[in-house]
Amino acid sequence: MTQYFPYRDGCLFAEELSLESLAEHYGTPCYIYSRSAIEDQWKRFNRALKGIPHQICYAVKANSSLAVLQLMSHLGSGFDIVSGGELERVIRAGGDPSKVVFSGVGKRRDEIEQALHTGIPCFNVESAGEIERIAEIAQRLEKKAPVSLRVNPDVDPKTHPYIATGLRSSKFGIAMQEAEHLYQELAGHEWVEVVGVDCHIGSQLLDLDPMYEALDKIMDLVARLRKKNINIRHLDMGGGFGICYQDEDEPSLDSFGRKVKETLAGTGLALIIEPGRAMVGNAGILLTQVEFLKTAEEKSFAIVDAAMNDLPRPSLYDAWHDIRPVHENSSWPLRTYDVVGPVCESGDFLGKERSLRIEPGSLLAVSSAGAYGFVMSSNYNTRPRPAEIMVDQDRSYLIRERESLDDLLHRENLIPEW
Ligand SMILES: *Cc1c(COP(=O)(O)O)cnc(C)c1O
């Protein structure tokens, strides 16, 4: 992280560009991404899986900006999508549809049809009802549909309950036993071809043991299926690799690589992984400016121009994001602030009790904002969403313009009779 957003002479940079100059040029609030940070991370994953036939399918939902997808595509990445909209993004960014897997519990008919037309290599199916729907559409289009079942290995990922998805009580996936029955029913199906087994147990995993536990359970399932002549060609272990937001140790990708290499050796199985957060989370910051400092009886507040609508993770999950001053050595007194936005909600905060030397007009960088940041933003309080900028060494690109009020209002109608 600090490698891509370093302090130089007390000023915070994105690669070779000072955040101050970027704020001046593009205004605040804005998201800033480092190309090298994304690229290096993709290559780390790819290196860890060297020697195993594999495909990295970047989870588009973590950050779906076209330029980010374009970069992934240049690196040779595949994509994990959860909607027809994400498929459209991948294609418009130059991504290869033959490297796209389609996950999600509620695939609509039109989305399935779109994906079949595009020729994606795998639907990650989440229920018996979905198979029926896919089969019916495949038959109508006379296009055989490749599927994996997303099994629910019932392991506890020990992460935030909102992002744990692999427990039996979760809405995601199919219980192991039921999946085994479904696989048997699908054998020899005219319009559905079984190609793999899929799982995704949760997000922000700092300990990968639950993933290894899931892997072992899935390998047992694969062995049982193969005995019944059901030819499983790939395993998809999903995403969920955790990142450092504050002081967490990130799980070792090399250990992950070693573990799957050991487990898959001699099986002929290919591996798919779907990292999202770990690919882009620490490759982005949210740059914001202090509007006012306000001291109430108990607390001091730094009111900034970014808010929960721009970066909902702190209010939504109570998530921690480091907040760093763009100018490190200012002479302003060190105080403890709640860093809050202008939105009319008490839950509108970006960070609580942060020690900062700042004044009105100071710039702050909210760290680790590259994943589940802009993509979760909204227009609450009729706030146009921020610009997004990609930095590549000493060059910067406006990859998404700041929204205008016209953008926000142009689909609304007054009622003519009134
Ligand atoms: C969200 C999601 C991912 C990515 O999760 P990260 O924690 O961002 O790596 C991968 N696969 C599926 C099915 C998902 O729902």
Side-chain angles (χ1 to χ4, degrees):
M1 167 73 197
T2 45
Q3 184 189 347
Y4 307 102
F5 296 96
Y7 279 106
R8 298 216 177 103
D9 298 326
C11 297
L12 198 53
F13 276 63
E15 301 196 15
E16 309 295 326
L17 294 175
S18 79
L19 292 186
E20 183 175 22
S21 70
L22 289 167
E24 225 160 75
H25 195 250
Y26 296 105
T28 57
C30 63
Y31 276 92
I32 294 172
Y33 308 118
S34 152
R35 175 193 170 149
S36 313
I38 299 174
E39 193 164 324
D40 290 354
Q41 192 62 356
W42 195 92
K43 289 177 176 166
R44 251 174 238 131
F45 271 105
N46 201 43
R47 245 192 334 268
L49 298 179
K50 212 174 141 205
I52 321 171
H54 69 273
Q55 180 63 249
I56 297 171
C57 290
Y58 165 64
V60 171
K61 73 172 191 272
N63 184 327
S64 55
S65 293
L66 289 178
V68 171
L69 303 182
Q70 181 188 14
L71 173 56
M72 293 293 171
S73 162
H74 276 299
L75 291 165
S77 193
F79 300 91
D80 170 49
I81 58 162
V82 291
S83 71
E86 287 190 350
L87 178 55
E88 184 65 23
R89 281 184 172 279
V90 166
I91 289 165
R92 290 202 194 182
D96 181 353
S98 76
K99 295 179 181 170
V100 170
V101 297
F102 191 173
S103 304
V105 291
K107 300 178 189 75
R108 289 195 317 254
R109 286 197 168 77
D110 61 303
E111 292 176 314
I112 292 169
E113 197 167 322
Q114 175 195 5
L116 271 172
H117 273 306
T118 316
I120 65 162
C122 190
F123 289 86
N124 290 334
V125 172
E126 305 234 12
S127 64
E130 188 188 326
I131 299 189
E132 265 178 51
R133 180 175 283 190
I134 290 175
E136 172 206 310
I137 296 168
Q139 177 168 23
R140 181 158 48 78
L141 301 184
E142 299 189 11
K143 275 192 132 173
K144 206 162 184 173
V147 303
S148 289
L149 300 190
R150 173 166 175 183
V151 300
N152 195 328
D154 197 28
V155 297
D156 183 355
K158 304 185 189 87
T159 184
H160 192 289
Y162 285 12
I163 48 182
T165 55
L167 282 166
R168 212 187 308 218
S169 55
S170 137
K171 75 171 175 181
F172 299 99
I174 304 169
M176 283 291 216
Q177 278 241 313
E178 192 193 346
E180 198 166 337
H181 285 301
L182 283 172
Y183 273 114
Q184 278 169 260
E185 277 176 30
L186 284 175
H189 195 289
E190 199 182 351
W191 296 107
V192 173
E193 182 183 17
V194 167
V195 292
V197 180
D198 171 51
C199 83
H200 169 75
I201 60 170
S203 201
Q204 184 56 11
L205 310 180
L206 293 167
D207 173 2
L208 295 185
D209 282 346
M211 207 190 273
Y212 301 150
E213 204 185 315
L215 178 62
D216 289 338
K217 288 188 175 185
I218 288 171
M219 289 305 289
D220 290 344
L221 173 67
V222 169
R224 291 197 298 276
L225 293 175
R226 282 184 160 179
K227 256 190 214 137
K228 291 169 183 154
N229 285 324
I230 298 165
N231 180 22
I232 302 298
R233 301 203 291 261
H234 77 247
L235 290 193
D236 183 336
M237 291 305 295
F241 304 88
I243 64 169
C244 172
Y245 283 98
Q246 188 171 8
D247 52 12
E248 305 90 334
D249 287 325
E250 297 186 351
S252 153
L253 301 184
D254 289 329
S255 309
F256 174 76
R258 276 194 298 278
K259 167 75 187 177
V260 289
K261 221 167 291 179
E262 217 174 86
T263 311
L264 299 192
T267 64
L269 287 166
L271 179 73
I272 292 176
I273 55 168
E274 307 167 345
R277 185 191 311 272
M279 208 63 97
V280 291
N282 273 326
I285 59 140
L286 173 61
L287 185 58
T288 182
Q289 185 164 38
V290 177
E291 296 281 0
F292 300 102
L293 296 180
K294 178 172 171 180
T295 304
E297 223 161 86
E298 308 255 300
K299 267 187 182 299
S300 294
F301 295 96
I303 302 165
V304 299
D305 63 4
M308 65 185 288
N309 74 292
D310 303 303
L311 179 67
R313 296 190 72 260
S315 15
L316 192 58
Y317 307 118
D318 212 10
W320 173 283
H321 288 259
D322 270 340
I323 297 179
R324 307 202 287 162
V326 167
H327 297 284
E328 212 178 13
N329 306 315
S330 68
S331 53
W332 295 88
L334 188 67
R335 284 225 179 86
T336 304
Y337 296 97
D338 280 6
V339 179
V340 301
V343 164
C344 303
E345 300 273 346
S346 299
D348 178 24
F349 68 94
L350 298 173
K352 290 194 168 158
E353 309 207 339
R354 307 303 176 92
S355 294
L356 295 163
R357 289 182 196 281
I358 46 175
E359 60 170 327
S362 293
L363 294 166
L364 294 172
V366 184
S367 305
S368 311
Y372 306 108
F374 186 95
V375 286
M376 291 182 102
S377 65
S378 77
N379 293 120
Y380 188 40
N381 281 206
T382 307
R383 290 170 50 83
R385 288 182 299 172
E388 294 184 291
I389 289 113
M390 180 71 74
V391 170
D392 183 6
Q393 296 180 10
D394 60 357
R395 277 168 302 173
S396 67
Y397 301 90
L398 180 60
I399 62 170
R400 184 197 304 260
E401 287 175 36
R402 185 179 307 287
E403 275 177 342
S404 68
L405 288 175
D406 282 339
D407 290 335
L408 265 63
L409 298 176
H410 89 286
R411 295 215 183 261
E412 293 187 42
N413 302 311
L414 292 169
I415 296 169
E417 296 89 85
W418 285 2

